Amino acid sequence: MPYSYDDQNIFAKILRGEIPNDTVYEDDHALAFRDIQPQTPDHVLVIPKGPYVTFDHLATEGSDDEIVGFTRAIGKVCDMLGVDPGSDGAGYRMISNAGEHGVQEVPHLHVHILAGRPIGRMIAREA
Ligand code: AMP
């Protein structure tokens, strides 16, 4: 099934500079900004600059440069937040919701970096 991308979604508007955001990091491939409704003391969204709906969309149709650039940006954000356990950070959770069952609200790929407190179990036992 071909992927389709709606360029009127709120993160597309943020990328076009039509809506403000609290930027944490930006490069040619990615933008990272603070979630407007943070669930943890540090709650940052990392999005690719390309028009991808989900992680599988990027992984399937993205160029190697886009995939590597997006992944490297996630690493940079973890480093900037000081949460990388390999560098003595206290850790974090990375989530990327996709589609209806994933309860994805914004149809532009985003990775949530959640950190700053113990987060608990991976998922609720029941939805
Ligand atoms: P989801 O699509 O369910 O993975 O989550 C979308 C996330 O985007 C939610 O955590 C929202 O709080 C967040 N969000 C929605 N609009 C904005 C915005 N303008 N700036 C920052 N975060 C936003």
Side-chain angles (χ1 to χ4, degrees):
M1 173 111 78
Y3 293 96
S4 75
Y5 179 82
D6 170 13
D7 68 4
Q8 293 307 306
N9 76 76
I10 197 155
F11 293 170
K13 292 178 179 176
I14 285 176
L15 283 173
R16 290 195 294 269
E18 296 167 10
I19 293 176
N21 73 93
D22 186 358
T23 298
V24 170
Y25 174 78
E26 182 169 15
D27 64 22
D28 287 349
H29 291 293
L31 175 68
F33 53 92
R34 293 198 176 270
D35 196 291
I36 204 164
Q37 289 190 294
Q39 305 297 309
T40 51
D42 279 321
H43 184 173
V44 173
L45 303 173
V46 189
I47 69 174
K49 290 201 167 169
Y52 300 102
V53 183
T54 55
F55 193 90
D56 59 278
H57 187 187
L58 174 70
T60 303
E61 296 191 350
S63 69
D64 289 0
D65 274 359
E66 288 175 311
I67 293 167
V68 171
F70 181 60
T71 305
R72 294 274 190 225
I74 293 168
K76 290 233 169 64
V77 171
C78 289
D79 185 40
M80 290 171 69
L81 295 175
V83 299
D84 168 14
S87 305
D88 284 343
Y92 61 93
R93 178 160 301 145
M94 190 171 97
I95 297 173
S96 189
N97 298 317
E100 182 187 351
H101 283 191
V103 195
Q104 180 178 11
E105 292 171 10
V106 181
H108 181 110
L109 167 58
H110 49 285
V111 164
H112 297 253
I113 307 288
L114 298 149
R117 66 165 171 80
I119 297 168
R121 292 184 63 86
M122 186 168 69
I123 55 172
R125 288 181 186 275
E126 295 177 33

Short mmCIF file of all heavy atoms in Angstrom, two decimals, residues 71-101:
data_model
loop_
_atom_site.label_atom_id
_atom_site.label_comp_id
_atom_site.label_asym_id
_atom_site.label_seq_id
_atom_site.Cartn_x
_atom_site.Cartn_y
_atom_site.Cartn_z
N THR A 71 18.54 9.34 12.48
CA THR A 71 19.04 8.54 13.60
C THR A 71 20.13 9.28 14.36
O THR A 71 20.16 9.30 15.60
CB THR A 71 19.56 7.19 13.08
OG1 THR A 71 18.52 6.56 12.32
CG2 THR A 71 19.96 6.26 14.22
N ARG A 72 21.03 9.90 13.63
CA ARG A 72 22.10 10.67 14.29
C ARG A 72 21.52 11.83 15.10
O ARG A 72 22.02 12.16 16.17
CB ARG A 72 23.06 11.25 13.25
CG ARG A 72 23.85 10.21 12.50
CD ARG A 72 25.11 9.85 13.26
NE ARG A 72 25.97 9.04 12.43
CZ ARG A 72 26.59 7.94 12.83
NH1 ARG A 72 26.45 7.52 14.08
NH2 ARG A 72 27.35 7.26 12.01
N ALA A 73 20.46 12.45 14.60
CA ALA A 73 19.84 13.56 15.32
C ALA A 73 19.28 13.07 16.66
O ALA A 73 19.39 13.77 17.68
CB ALA A 73 18.74 14.20 14.48
N ILE A 74 18.69 11.88 16.68
CA ILE A 74 18.19 11.32 17.94
C ILE A 74 19.35 11.15 18.92
O ILE A 74 19.25 11.47 20.11
CB ILE A 74 17.47 9.98 17.68
CG1 ILE A 74 16.19 10.22 16.87
CG2 ILE A 74 17.17 9.27 18.99
CD1 ILE A 74 15.55 8.95 16.33
N GLY A 75 20.48 10.66 18.41
CA GLY A 75 21.66 10.52 19.26
C GLY A 75 22.13 11.86 19.81
O GLY A 75 22.47 11.97 21.00
N LYS A 76 22.12 12.87 18.96
CA LYS A 76 22.55 14.22 19.40
C LYS A 76 21.63 14.74 20.49
O LYS A 76 22.08 15.34 21.48
CB LYS A 76 22.54 15.19 18.22
CG LYS A 76 23.63 14.92 17.20
CD LYS A 76 24.44 16.18 16.94
CE LYS A 76 25.70 15.90 16.14
NZ LYS A 76 25.47 15.41 14.79
N VAL A 77 20.32 14.55 20.31
CA VAL A 77 19.37 15.05 21.31
C VAL A 77 19.58 14.33 22.64
O VAL A 77 19.60 14.97 23.71
CB VAL A 77 17.92 14.89 20.80
CG1 VAL A 77 16.91 15.18 21.90
CG2 VAL A 77 17.68 15.80 19.60
N CYS A 78 19.74 13.01 22.61
CA CYS A 78 19.99 12.28 23.87
C CYS A 78 21.25 12.80 24.54
O CYS A 78 21.30 12.96 25.77
CB CYS A 78 20.10 10.77 23.59
SG CYS A 78 18.53 10.03 23.16
N ASP A 79 22.27 13.08 23.73
CA ASP A 79 23.52 13.61 24.27
C ASP A 79 23.28 14.99 24.89
O ASP A 79 23.72 15.28 26.01
CB ASP A 79 24.55 13.67 23.14
CG ASP A 79 25.91 14.10 23.65
OD1 ASP A 79 26.30 13.64 24.75
OD2 ASP A 79 26.58 14.89 22.97
N MET A 80 22.57 15.84 24.16
CA MET A 80 22.32 17.20 24.66
C MET A 80 21.50 17.20 25.95
O MET A 80 21.71 18.03 26.83
CB MET A 80 21.57 18.03 23.60
CG MET A 80 22.43 18.36 22.40
SD MET A 80 21.45 19.09 21.08
CE MET A 80 21.05 20.65 21.82
N LEU A 81 20.56 16.27 26.05
CA LEU A 81 19.74 16.18 27.26
C LEU A 81 20.50 15.54 28.42
O LEU A 81 20.06 15.59 29.57
CB LEU A 81 18.46 15.39 26.98
CG LEU A 81 17.47 16.00 25.98
CD1 LEU A 81 16.31 15.03 25.72
CD2 LEU A 81 16.93 17.34 26.49
N GLY A 82 21.61 14.88 28.10
CA GLY A 82 22.41 14.22 29.14
C GLY A 82 21.76 12.97 29.69
O GLY A 82 21.96 12.60 30.84
N VAL A 83 20.98 12.29 28.83
CA VAL A 83 20.22 11.13 29.32
C VAL A 83 20.82 9.80 28.88
O VAL A 83 20.35 8.74 29.30
CB VAL A 83 18.75 11.21 28.86
CG1 VAL A 83 18.08 12.46 29.43
CG2 VAL A 83 18.61 11.18 27.35
N ASP A 84 21.85 9.85 28.05
CA ASP A 84 22.45 8.64 27.49
C ASP A 84 23.10 7.80 28.59
O ASP A 84 24.06 8.24 29.20
CB ASP A 84 23.48 9.07 26.43
CG ASP A 84 24.36 7.94 25.98
OD1 ASP A 84 24.03 6.78 26.26
OD2 ASP A 84 25.39 8.25 25.35
N PRO A 85 22.58 6.59 28.89
CA PRO A 85 23.15 5.79 29.97
C PRO A 85 24.61 5.44 29.73
O PRO A 85 25.37 5.24 30.67
CB PRO A 85 22.29 4.52 29.98
CG PRO A 85 21.07 4.86 29.22
CD PRO A 85 21.44 5.93 28.25
N GLY A 86 25.03 5.40 28.45
CA GLY A 86 26.43 5.11 28.15
C GLY A 86 27.35 6.23 28.60
O GLY A 86 28.56 6.03 28.72
N SER A 87 26.80 7.42 28.82
CA SER A 87 27.59 8.55 29.31
C SER A 87 27.14 8.97 30.70
O SER A 87 27.14 10.15 31.05
CB SER A 87 27.47 9.74 28.36
OG SER A 87 27.82 9.38 27.06
N ASP A 88 26.67 7.97 31.47
CA ASP A 88 26.25 8.19 32.86
C ASP A 88 24.94 8.93 33.01
O ASP A 88 24.61 9.39 34.11
CB ASP A 88 27.34 8.93 33.67
CG ASP A 88 28.47 7.98 34.04
OD1 ASP A 88 28.24 6.76 33.96
OD2 ASP A 88 29.55 8.46 34.39
N GLY A 89 24.18 9.10 31.93
CA GLY A 89 22.84 9.65 32.07
C GLY A 89 21.94 8.62 32.72
O GLY A 89 22.27 7.44 32.82
N ALA A 90 20.77 9.09 33.18
CA ALA A 90 19.86 8.19 33.91
C ALA A 90 18.93 7.42 32.98
O ALA A 90 18.12 6.63 33.44
CB ALA A 90 19.05 9.00 34.91
N GLY A 91 19.05 7.65 31.67
CA GLY A 91 18.24 6.88 30.73
C GLY A 91 17.00 7.62 30.25
O GLY A 91 16.71 8.75 30.68
N TYR A 92 16.30 6.98 29.38
CA TYR A 92 15.14 7.61 28.73
C TYR A 92 14.29 6.52 28.09
O TYR A 92 14.70 5.35 28.02
CB TYR A 92 15.62 8.60 27.65
CG TYR A 92 16.42 7.94 26.55
CD1 TYR A 92 15.82 7.50 25.38
CD2 TYR A 92 17.80 7.72 26.72
CE1 TYR A 92 16.56 6.86 24.40
CE2 TYR A 92 18.53 7.09 25.73
CZ TYR A 92 17.92 6.67 24.58
OH TYR A 92 18.65 6.02 23.61
N ARG A 93 13.12 6.90 27.60
CA ARG A 93 12.32 6.00 26.75
C ARG A 93 12.09 6.69 25.43
O ARG A 93 11.81 7.89 25.36
CB ARG A 93 10.98 5.66 27.40
CG ARG A 93 10.13 4.76 26.48
CD ARG A 93 9.06 4.02 27.24
NE ARG A 93 9.66 3.21 28.28
CZ ARG A 93 9.10 2.99 29.47
NH1 ARG A 93 7.92 3.49 29.75
NH2 ARG A 93 9.72 2.26 30.38
N MET A 94 12.21 5.90 24.36
CA MET A 94 11.99 6.41 23.00
C MET A 94 10.75 5.72 22.46
O MET A 94 10.67 4.50 22.46
CB MET A 94 13.21 6.07 22.15
CG MET A 94 13.24 6.72 20.83
SD MET A 94 14.87 6.44 20.06
CE MET A 94 14.47 5.04 19.04
N ILE A 95 9.78 6.51 22.01
CA ILE A 95 8.52 5.96 21.51
C ILE A 95 8.21 6.61 20.17
O ILE A 95 8.38 7.82 20.01
CB ILE A 95 7.34 6.26 22.46
CG1 ILE A 95 7.53 5.61 23.82
CG2 ILE A 95 6.01 5.83 21.85
CD1 ILE A 95 6.48 6.02 24.86
N SER A 96 7.73 5.81 19.22
CA SER A 96 7.20 6.39 17.99
C SER A 96 5.85 5.74 17.70
O SER A 96 5.79 4.57 17.32
CB SER A 96 8.18 6.18 16.83
OG SER A 96 7.75 6.93 15.72
N ASN A 97 4.79 6.48 17.94
CA ASN A 97 3.45 5.96 17.72
C ASN A 97 3.11 5.96 16.24
O ASN A 97 3.45 6.91 15.53
CB ASN A 97 2.44 6.81 18.49
CG ASN A 97 2.67 6.78 19.99
OD1 ASN A 97 2.92 5.72 20.55
ND2 ASN A 97 2.62 7.93 20.64
N ALA A 98 2.42 4.93 15.79
CA ALA A 98 2.07 4.83 14.38
C ALA A 98 0.64 4.35 14.22
O ALA A 98 0.26 3.31 14.77
CB ALA A 98 3.03 3.87 13.66
N GLY A 99 -0.13 5.13 13.49
CA GLY A 99 -1.47 4.69 13.10
C GLY A 99 -2.47 4.59 14.24
O GLY A 99 -2.23 5.08 15.35
N GLU A 100 -3.58 3.95 13.93
CA GLU A 100 -4.72 3.91 14.85
C GLU A 100 -4.38 3.17 16.14
O GLU A 100 -4.58 3.68 17.24
CB GLU A 100 -5.90 3.25 14.15
CG GLU A 100 -7.16 3.18 14.97
CD GLU A 100 -8.27 2.36 14.29
OE1 GLU A 100 -8.11 1.99 13.11
OE2 GLU A 100 -9.27 2.08 14.96
N HIS A 101 -3.85 1.96 16.03
CA HIS A 101 -3.56 1.19 17.24
C HIS A 101 -2.40 1.78 18.02
O HIS A 101 -2.33 1.63 19.25
CB HIS A 101 -3.28 -0.28 16.88
CG HIS A 101 -4.53 -1.06 16.57
ND1 HIS A 101 -4.55 -2.42 16.45
CD2 HIS A 101 -5.80 -0.64 16.35
CE1 HIS A 101 -5.78 -2.83 16.18
NE2 HIS A 101 -6.56 -1.75 16.11
#
